[in-house]
Each structure stands twice: as structure tokens, then as C-alpha cells.
């Protein structure tokens, strides 16, 4: 989503959600030490670097960061959809006790949609224009449940459409007969057909107008509450995220530099990059004037030494230029990768 949408949507800094679900529940998702490298002619680019986090069922986490920070790579790695010249070098993605990375191809194909669903960026444009919505939904179910009776499949599809507030007649319609928001809701309906425990939605509201964005987010909210899935929302729009997620994870140069509850992230961000992201949001004090973050995101082919954020950081210290910070766990189940917090665990 471009910044103009963000500005339009956030003339005043939004109130972050106050009710944050407890993070002490048993995790349904555990990502451990996930690492992805792209081997290009220009060199090796580490797109995901030792990424670890956990989520309990029913939690929504917003994944934010500039373009190229690794958000979409993380989603693709979790789905085992990284293509050559990329490679998952190491790590685990454990959903409800099953490590997806160690599954064979056939078991992983079954796990997609049934354990973990991915609603890719621009999903609404990936609907087949010459097939009715119903046929596309039925295909998705049949590829996972080949023995399910036609009546049961139809009922499952209708139930899924109802969950996203779409009229049953959408089942018989073609994509071109639907608005952008309706198509995006169809994609969500397909994503939840098999009640996955984890749903990843990559920029689910991009290319939608502000009112439709909110409707789509409310749909995700409702659906998530119904099937109690852990939901990862990838996006740029911190303002929209603030109103819908429980936790926020900030990515920079392939690393998760801060993970905090949404309230803490908006009221007391710890990592200097997270602080810069929050203060770049228009608010009533700065009268909606957009403040950028100095410098550019680094090329993954030539990452700065030490902390990759150090050339842009207003709090840089000598150690930052030579030593890479590791994650420090702070009270309140927060984690931050910054030398300012070394020894504060
Ligand atoms: Fe800034 Fe140093 Fe922290 Fe990196 S480690 S964010 S350069 S203070």
C-alpha cells in the first residue's frame, strides 16, 4: 500500500486495541530459527535471518516493515513456497505439533489450506475469470478431501461464504460480477474452507478503498474469532493494523527486530526503527505531516556490518557498527534486537 493511502487513512493516529489476548496459552504456531537465502548472480542475499516467534490460537499478529524487509519471504517460507534461487537453509515451522519444514511434498500439499492457509498479495486477481466462484471453491476442497460427498462439499462452501458475509448466490457468480472487496472476501472464504489453524494474509487490503479496507479487516476479525485460528497480517499500514491486531512484529533486513503487544508498540516502542515507524505516522500534533525515516532500506546483498539499521539509527553506538545484536526478552513478553537493551533481559 502506498503512503498516500496511509496518510488518508490516518489523519489522526489511531487508538491501538486495548484488549490484548493473553500470550501464555499453548502456542499453535512456533517458528524457530527460520533462515532463507537467495543465491543470485550478484551474490548471496539472506532474506530471512534466524526468525523465531510463537503464536497461540486466536491471536492476530501484524507483520510490518519496509518493502524488502522479508515479510513476504517469511510467509512463503512458512508455506514452503520459496522458489529457486531461494532456499530454506534451516529452521522449523511447527503448526499444532507438526513441523511443516520436515514434511514430504505430498504431506505439505495436504497441510496447505488444512493446517496453514495463505492469502497472497493481490489474491483477488488470482481468481480464475472463466470459472464460477463455486467451482473454484469446490476444486479447492476436492483436492484435499477427494472422498467428500458433493452435497457436503457444497454445504462447506456455502458455510464459508456465509462466514465472510457473502450472499449464497455468489457461489454461482463469476469474479467479474463482484466488487474488489467481495473478491477479497471470496479469497478469505477459500482460505478458511478447511478451518486451518494458521492463516497468513499478505496485504489483504491493498488496492481497496478505505471503507472496503475496514470491511475486509472486520471480516478477517470475525472469521478468525469463529475458527480460532492464529492470523498473521502482513502490511505497511500501521494505522489499520493498530485497530485489528493483538501483537505487532517489526521486520528489518530479514530479522524480527521487535515483537510487542499492539498497545506497547504504539505507546512505548523500544527498537529505534520501530520508534521511527511509529513517529512517521501522521498524528494530531504533527498535523498529518508525513515524516519519513532517513536513508534507505539496505540491499540484502550488501548488509551493513553489525546492526543492519546502524547507518540510519539516531542512537547508534560504536558497538552497533561491529556486533550484531541478538534478541533480548523484555517484561511483558516483548522481544527486541538492539544493543541499547543488552543485559536488560
Ligand atoms: Fe540503533 Fe545500535 Fe540499536 Fe541498531 S543496535 S538499532 S544501531 S542502537
Amino acid at each position: 500500500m502506498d503512503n498516500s493511502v496511509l496518510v488518508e487513512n490516518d489523519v489522526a493516529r489511531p487508538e491501538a486495541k486495548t484488549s490484548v489476548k493473553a500470550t501464555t496459552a499453548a502456542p499453535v504456531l512456533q517458528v524457530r530459527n527460520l533462515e532463507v537465502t537467495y543465491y543470485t548472480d550478484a551474490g548471496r542475499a539472506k532474506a530471512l535471518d534466524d526468525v523465531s516467534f510463537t503464536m497461540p490460537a486466536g491471536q492476530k499478529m501484524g507483520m510490518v516493515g519496509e518493502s524488502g524487509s522479508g515479510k513476504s519471504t517469511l510467509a512463503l517460507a512458512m508455506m514452503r513456497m520459496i522458489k529457486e534461487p531461494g532456499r530454506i537453509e534451516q529452521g522449523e515451522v511447527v503448526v499444532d505439533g507438526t513441523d511443516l519444514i520436515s514434511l514430504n511434498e505430498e504431506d505439505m500439499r495436504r497441510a496447505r489450506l488444512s493446517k496453514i492457509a495463505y492469502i497472497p498479495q493481490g489474491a483477488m486477481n488470482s481468481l480464475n475469470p472463466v470459472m464460477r466462484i463455486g467451482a473454484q471453491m469446490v476444486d479447492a476442497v476436492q483436492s484435499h478431501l477427494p472422498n467428500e460427498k458433493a452435497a457436503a462439499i457444497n454445504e462447506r462452501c456455502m458455510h464459508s461464504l456465509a462466514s465472510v458475509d457473502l450472499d449464497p448466490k455468489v457461489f454461482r457468480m463469476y469474479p467479474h460480477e463482484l466488487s474488489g472487496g467481495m473478491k477479497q472476501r471470496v479469497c478469505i472464504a477459500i482460505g478458511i474452507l478447511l478451518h486451518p489453524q494458521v492463516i497468513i494474509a499478505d496485504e489483504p487490503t491493498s488496492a481497496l478503498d478505505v471503507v472496503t479496507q475496514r470491511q475486509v479487516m472486520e471480516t478477517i476479525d470475525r472469521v478468525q474469532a469463529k475458527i480460532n485460528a492464529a492470523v498473521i497480517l502482513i502490511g505497511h499500514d500501521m494505522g489499520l493494523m493498530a485497530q485489528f491486531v493483538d501483537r505487532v512484529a517489526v521486520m528489518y533486513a530479514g530479522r524480527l527486530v521487535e515483537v510487542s503487544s499492539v498497545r506497547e508498540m504504539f505507546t512505548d516502542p523500544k527498537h529505534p526503527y520501530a520508534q521511527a515507524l511509529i513517529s512517521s505516522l501522521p498524528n494530531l500534533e504533527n498535523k498529518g505531516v508525513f515524516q519519513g525515516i532517513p536513508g534507505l532500506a539496505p540491499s540484502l546483498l550488501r548488509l551493513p556490518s553489525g546492526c543492519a539499521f546502524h547507518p540510519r539509527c539516531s542512537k547508534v553506538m560504536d558497538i552497533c557498527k561491529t556486533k550484531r545484536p541478538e534478541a533480548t526478552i523484555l517484561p511483558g513478553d516483548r522481544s527486541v534486537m538492539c544493543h541499547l537493551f543488552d543485559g536488560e533481559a
Side-chain angles (χ1 to χ4, degrees):
M1 180 181 303
D2 66 23
N3 290 334
S4 62
V5 174
L6 187 142
V7 171
E8 185 185 355
N9 200 24
D10 300 293
V11 176
R13 187 173 295 172
E15 271 299 296
K17 274 182 66 165
T18 50
S19 60
V20 174
K21 291 185 180 78
T23 53
T24 47
V28 70
L29 170 68
Q30 293 167 282
V31 175
R32 297 191 196 116
N33 312 110
L34 197 55
E35 208 167 291
V36 172
T37 303
Y38 286 93
Y39 291 82
T40 71
D41 291 343
R44 271 173 37 152
K46 203 180 254 191
L48 272 195
D49 188 356
D50 205 12
V51 169
S52 300
F53 63 95
T54 62
M55 289 179 71
Q59 188 179 76
K60 287 188 294 296
M61 184 158 82
M63 191 70 67
V64 297
E66 290 160 297
S67 296
S69 60
K71 307 182 300 290
S72 295
T73 300
L74 173 61
L76 293 174
M78 290 173 68
M79 296 298 294
R80 294 246 318 258
M81 288 163 59
I82 295 285
K83 299 233 163 66
E84 288 287 338
R87 200 182 296 163
I88 297 175
E89 304 281 23
Q90 64 159 6
E92 294 178 351
V93 177
V94 181
V95 178
D96 198 22
T98 303
D99 176 21
L100 304 183
I101 303 296
S102 61
L103 292 180
N104 63 37
E105 285 300 328
E106 179 54 22
D107 288 344
M108 185 60 214
R109 191 190 66 77
R110 286 182 207 281
R112 295 189 190 107
L113 219 58
S114 61
K115 279 188 174 294
I116 185 166
Y118 177 49
I119 303 167
Q121 208 169 342
M124 60 186 179
N125 300 321
S126 66
L127 291 170
N128 187 330
V130 295
M131 275 176 84
R132 292 182 199 274
I133 298 298
Q136 300 189 49
M137 296 181 83
V138 169
D139 269 5
V141 179
Q142 273 177 339
S143 68
H144 284 80
L145 304 171
N147 299 325
E148 186 121 320
K149 298 250 171 14
I153 293 179
N154 279 6
E155 196 185 321
R156 186 186 281 271
C157 296
M158 290 303 185
H159 193 262
S160 206
L161 285 175
S163 300
V164 298
D165 257 355
L166 285 174
D167 194 282
K169 68 179 181 223
V170 168
F171 190 79
R172 307 269 319 145
M173 293 169 82
Y174 288 95
H176 73 267
E177 297 177 277
L178 306 176
S179 69
M182 289 167 86
K183 279 192 272 189
Q184 189 59 299
R185 276 189 275 159
V186 165
C187 294
I188 297 168
I190 293 173
I192 59 165
L193 274 170
L194 299 177
H195 290 195
Q197 287 128 315
V198 177
I199 299 172
I200 308 170
D202 195 349
E203 303 269 9
T205 59
S206 61
L208 298 175
D209 65 78
V210 175
V211 174
T212 313
Q213 283 180 5
R214 172 162 272 280
Q215 287 169 350
V216 167
M217 292 298 267
E218 284 169 356
T219 302
I220 292 174
D221 219 30
R222 239 190 353 268
V223 157
Q224 184 258 0
K226 222 174 235 176
I227 65 173
N228 203 31
V231 174
I232 298 174
L233 287 170
I234 295 173
H236 290 87
D237 190 337
M238 298 277 281
L240 198 62
M241 290 261 181
Q243 299 161 63
F244 288 96
V245 301
D246 305 303
R247 286 169 77 69
V248 179
V250 177
M251 288 203 84
Y252 191 82
R255 304 187 88 196
L256 273 189
V257 295
E258 180 166 349
V259 183
S260 293
S261 74
V262 67
R263 175 146 285 273
E264 286 167 327
M265 186 63 83
F266 276 82
T267 55
D268 181 26
K270 297 295 189 193
H271 194 282
Y273 177 62
Q275 290 171 354
L277 276 184
I278 300 297
S279 58
S280 72
L281 283 176
N283 60 34
L284 290 176
E285 284 97 67
N286 64 24
K287 298 189 170 53
V289 175
F290 189 81
Q291 298 169 17
I293 301 171
L296 294 173
S299 160
L300 294 175
L301 290 165
R302 284 174 298 279
L303 281 181
S305 58
C307 170
F309 188 57
H310 87 251
R312 305 171 76 186
C313 182
S314 59
K315 297 178 179 161
V316 60
M317 306 173 284
D318 283 345
I319 189 176
C320 308
K321 297 173 188 169
T322 54
K323 190 169 177 227
R324 207 172 83 130
E326 296 305 329
T328 301
I329 306 299
L330 298 177
D333 200 21
R334 309 182 71 176
S335 92
V336 60
M337 282 182 183
C338 172
H339 287 307
L340 291 170
F341 301 93
D342 285 352
E344 273 198 30

